[in-house]
Amino acid sequence: MPAKTLLIPTADGRADAFAAYPETGTGEQHPAVLLYMDAFGLRPELEKKALELAGHGYYVLVPNLYYRHRPAPVLELPEHIGEDERPAVIAQLMPLIQEFTVDGILRDADAYLGFLAAQPEVADGPVGVIGYCMGAPLALRTAAAHPGKVAAMAGFHPGFLVTDAPNSPHRVLDTLTAEVHIGLAEGDMTPEALGELEKALDAAGVTYTTETYPGTVHGFTMSDTDAFNPGALQHHWDRLLPLLDRTLRKN
């Protein structure tokens, strides 16, 4: 499966990224998927997910969202992030996470989608956006900001979809047109917060599903962490691949 690292010009610099796509003949093109990382960042675990998606016929872009600080990896992560290592890793990453702004997120999204549209291997058509953990609200914001382009949005073990902030992701969905799937770990959202999110999705008039994956904890798709749940990872593919297939592929 072809894969490469690359640099994407943005309004704030150049974002390093990983891209994977199918073996293609001359002129062959594929639907694009923008994959937003979890808090631990761009690393082999996410490259593996991109390669899996590429094997199903998608051009997948995984940007390093911390590019303003340094290229990936921004930290020297342990090979496996266990419960003993997790607090120290999160403590180092939290200042970077707290620097994200909505304006910066949307400027970057413009650059990533523009890059995808310019690739010769990418088909002219709708795009899917996926986010894990902190990437889920970024994916939701991107979908809402690009209703004419993003046809599928999926978020897994999401954080920060419903907050008290005036610009909380669930409060900016009036322009959303993408089909949405939110795959939750047990405890990711309170029933009240989930109700607020579903109310906002209902008001947007979009097709969506929210589902709590049983027996899971936050981070269940990531095989390099103690949160990993193999059955839930497969369930995530069982939800994600049909969503992308029915929204991104021409009949």
Side-chain angles (χ1 to χ4, degrees):
M1 199 70 58
K4 58 187 175 182
T5 56
L6 42 85
L7 292 173
I8 300 172
T10 76
D12 299 324
R14 294 198 299 173
D16 54 303
F18 177 83
Y21 45 96
E23 293 280 1
T24 57
T26 303
E28 190 174 354
Q29 296 180 313
H30 307 277
V33 173
L34 172 59
L35 193 160
Y36 283 120
M37 67 193 204
D38 63 350
F40 295 129
L42 177 53
R43 61 195 191 284
E45 175 67 20
L46 293 179
E47 294 174 3
K48 184 167 64 175
K49 285 180 170 51
L51 289 165
E52 174 77 17
L53 279 169
H56 290 277
Y58 298 98
Y59 186 110
V60 187
L61 180 69
V62 191
N64 168 28
L65 303 181
Y66 300 136
Y67 74 88
R68 291 173 179 83
H69 293 271
R70 62 186 66 89
V74 294
L75 297 181
E76 291 299 323
L77 295 171
E79 186 173 333
H80 184 86
I81 306 167
E83 288 307 305
D84 291 340
E85 295 84 9
R86 181 184 178 92
V89 172
I90 291 295
Q92 294 179 76
L93 291 171
M94 190 54 66
L96 307 187
I97 296 169
Q98 291 172 338
E99 288 183 10
F100 284 119
T101 66
V102 173
D103 287 346
I105 290 164
L106 295 181
R107 287 197 303 271
D108 287 350
D110 290 346
Y112 303 147
L113 293 176
F115 170 85
L116 285 168
Q119 300 314 297
E121 301 91 353
V122 171
D124 181 21
V127 171
V129 183
I130 306 166
Y132 297 89
C133 179
M134 73 169 194
L138 277 60
L140 193 57
R141 289 189 188 279
T142 298
H146 295 271
K149 188 64 176 175
V150 178
M153 178 271 159
F156 298 97
H157 40 85
F160 314 115
L161 292 179
V162 176
T163 74
D164 294 331
N167 62 351
S168 170
H170 81 287
R171 294 194 171 106
V172 296
L173 302 186
D174 54 309
T175 56
L176 184 69
T177 59
E179 183 175 342
V180 173
H181 175 72
I182 303 295
L184 299 156
E186 294 179 354
D188 269 345
M189 299 182 75
T190 66
E192 294 77 14
L194 181 56
E196 285 296 311
L197 176 62
E198 291 177 337
K199 181 179 177 181
L201 291 167
D202 285 333
V206 299
T207 299
Y208 73 90
T209 55
T210 62
E211 182 178 2
T212 299
Y213 292 18
T216 56
V217 297
H218 184 74
F220 59 79
T221 65
M222 300 297 168
S223 67
D224 60 351
T225 74
D226 280 356
F228 181 55
N229 182 313
L233 174 66
Q234 183 57 52
H235 191 63
H236 132 285
W237 290 123
D238 292 343
R239 292 291 183 264
L240 177 58
L241 293 173
L243 168 64
L244 298 176
D245 187 59
R246 65 178 170 264
T247 55
L248 305 188
R249 297 190 186 280
K250 295 177 180 179
N251 294 327

